[in-house]
Amino acid sequence: MVGEAPLTGIKVLEFAGLAPGPFAGILLADAGADVLRIDRAVPGKTHTAGKQGPLTPDMLARYKSSIAVDLKSPSGIALIKQLAKAADVIIDPFRPGVLEKLGLGPDVLSALNPRIIYGRMTGFRRDGKYAAMAGHDINYLAVSGALSLLGRDGEKPHPPWNILADFAGGGAVLFKGILLAVIARQRTGRGQVVEANMVDGAAYLASFPRMALKTPLGNNGRGRNQLDGGCPFYDTYETKDGKYMSVGALEPQFYSILVEGLGLASQPWAAESRRNDRATWAEMQRQFEAAFRSKTRAEWEAVFDGTDACCTPVLEFPELEAETRREGDQRPIVTLRDTPMLAVDQGATSPAVQGQGPGVEGGGYEGTPLAADGGGEEALGRWFGLTRGKEYDVEKGGLVLETKSKL
């Protein structure tokens, strides 16, 4: 029998931020956690039943709900503290000290709720020389050492979007830390502070290539090694129609199938015994390029599909959305057979906020920004049984705890 999602019942307060914090939140939400985003209040904008408030630029909002809170208001801070009493997890995406100055630091909230897991994400290390500085993905990659590995021979280091630091080294690492703290809490009964930073996360991801720098696998300089673009049988090639094929035929048996498929098996350099002879690589590269340009990508797919040549098309996202490309299905990050993750395909809707369109529809390739009050009042009802006008109300565009509340 298939059960509920693995994190069903876990309540998360996610302070609105940029990429890594929301990514940790969406990973938790996709696993069934009830994620309530705390947005910044906008004076003049009110929470009105049936109407959505201002949209935030964050598209990583699937299965989340939101409330706007004035964090400069004592009553707004009081509301957050009340919510924290019932929360399992806090996601703090701000620079060091921001929530502490608001009276919402880990010491305060842990005293209110000893079981709370206080997850906080920074870019630079909290104890490093850059701790007080602003930065972005490229900067965190730079000081982690990972950026020095990326790029072609003779070219400057080149960052790949903001995947490595923000998401892999940031949000995904914080998500892992939170899960570890949830497991530890089962044993200790207490929550704890989970600290993640994108410098350490990116550096950890680069563990293998860093270890390889002093070995023949990686000691030839950036872009001149087997796995970083320096090797002809581990590279990408343009096809006749301007598209690309990827090649990763590292093992001798796979290499043999590749050169046979390319029609190059008779070339002097094509013997398995010579594939790692760097003196042949320039000619091998030239002939690989010429061969791939002789056919369209579809024609090369017909040659290599179903083989062990380790040669596959470089698919682009627009074509992945087409029904003819099953590889384009957006799926959960991992499959759990007995307690499955929630759907992440187009039209995924949250049981918690059904009918609250923004933030829970278009989960595959069209992120829909969540309104600053999208589903939030329903979440307050689920968490506390709170009712607007009784335990809380709106003030200057944000929710505040009613001073007469007996909570």
Side-chain angles (χ1 to χ4, degrees):
M1 177 180 293
V2 176
E4 294 180 305
L7 296 184
T8 298
I10 296 292
K11 299 180 179 66
V12 181
L13 285 179
E14 175 197 313
F15 285 91
L18 298 177
F23 189 57
I26 202 171
L27 286 168
L28 292 165
D30 283 346
D34 194 351
V35 180
L36 177 61
R37 194 178 70 195
I38 309 300
D39 279 296
R40 179 174 57 88
V42 179
K45 299 288 185 178
T46 60
H47 288 239
T48 304
K51 295 183 179 180
Q52 298 293 325
L55 296 178
T56 72
D58 175 28
M59 293 183 291
L60 299 172
R62 186 172 52 242
Y63 294 118
K64 298 178 185 179
S65 51
S66 168
I67 57 174
V69 178
D70 183 1
L71 297 180
K72 296 180 180 180
S73 163
S75 297
I77 295 296
L79 178 61
I80 297 297
K81 288 180 177 179
Q82 290 293 350
L83 291 174
K85 291 179 180 179
D88 294 285
V89 177
I90 296 286
I91 295 180
D92 170 8
F94 302 122
R95 290 167 71 172
V98 170
L99 285 186
E100 285 85 346
K101 290 179 181 178
L102 295 173
L104 297 173
D107 292 343
V108 173
L109 298 190
S110 295
L112 293 172
N113 178 3
R115 289 179 55 82
I116 202 165
I117 294 165
Y118 198 105
R120 48 188 187 175
M121 165 65 62
T122 59
F124 296 114
R125 294 170 173 169
R126 287 176 175 268
D127 58 351
K129 63 179 289 187
Y130 306 110
M133 293 170 53
H136 282 294
D137 186 286
I138 190 171
N139 307 118
Y140 312 136
L141 284 182
V143 302
S144 75
L147 186 55
S148 70
L149 302 173
L150 306 178
R152 292 285 191 172
D153 179 27
E155 299 179 2
K156 62 184 181 180
H158 187 74
W161 265 82
N162 60 333
I163 298 169
L164 283 182
D166 278 349
F167 297 111
V173 169
L174 180 60
F175 171 66
K176 178 180 179 179
I178 289 170
L179 295 184
L180 292 174
V182 169
I183 293 170
R185 190 176 68 177
Q186 293 178 339
R187 184 179 67 255
T188 66
R190 298 185 64 85
Q192 59 184 297
V193 177
V194 177
E195 293 187 348
N197 70 78
M198 287 170 261
V199 172
D200 286 337
Y204 202 93
L205 289 170
S207 293
F208 177 76
R210 183 174 184 175
M211 292 174 183
L213 288 176
K214 297 181 181 180
T215 74
L217 185 62
N219 64 1
N220 293 288
R222 182 177 66 250
R224 299 178 61 189
N225 302 288
Q226 192 175 64
L227 300 178
D228 66 358
C231 174
F233 46 91
Y234 197 89
D235 206 345
T236 58
Y237 292 92
E238 187 175 2
T239 59
K240 185 177 181 179
D241 53 347
K243 298 184 182 297
Y244 291 87
M245 293 291 289
S246 68
V247 171
L250 295 175
E251 290 77 9
Q253 67 273 26
F254 303 153
Y255 173 82
S256 293
I257 300 171
L258 173 71
V259 295
E260 181 70 30
L262 289 172
L264 299 173
S266 63
Q267 295 298 316
W269 47 261
E272 288 181 12
S273 60
R274 298 198 64 192
R275 77 185 192 286
N276 287 322
D277 180 358
R278 286 177 174 266
T280 71
W281 281 8
E283 179 62 17
M284 187 188 301
Q285 182 89 25
R286 186 187 69 79
Q287 293 201 35
F288 277 12
E289 290 173 352
F292 276 108
R293 281 198 298 267
S294 71
K295 289 182 172 67
T296 66
R297 194 187 70 182
E299 290 173 324
W300 284 120
E301 287 184 74
V303 171
F304 290 116
D305 278 3
T307 76
D308 282 344
C310 300
C311 186
T312 55
V314 178
L315 301 178
E316 300 172 3
F317 281 113
E319 63 184 310
L320 283 174
E321 296 183 49
E323 293 182 2
T324 55
R325 286 286 186 181
R326 296 297 297 171
E327 296 90 342
D329 292 348
Q330 185 80 44
R331 298 182 179 182
I333 191 172
V334 66
T335 298
L336 285 77
R337 292 190 177 182
D338 295 334
T339 56
M341 303 277 281
L342 301 182
V344 298
D345 59 347
Q346 293 287 345
T349 56
S350 168
V353 285
Q354 283 182 350
Q356 296 295 325
V360 296
E361 293 182 351
Y365 287 97
E366 295 182 17
T368 306
L370 176 65
D373 57 356
E377 296 195 25
E378 290 82 355
L380 294 182
R382 292 194 309 273
W383 283 38
F384 275 132
L386 300 183
T387 303
R388 179 177 168 180
K390 185 177 181 182
E391 290 88 9
Y392 69 92
D393 216 324
V394 178
E395 183 178 293
K396 297 181 179 179
L399 300 187
V400 298
L401 191 71
E402 279 280 19
T403 56
K404 296 180 181 179
S405 174
K406 296 181 179 180
L407 290 176

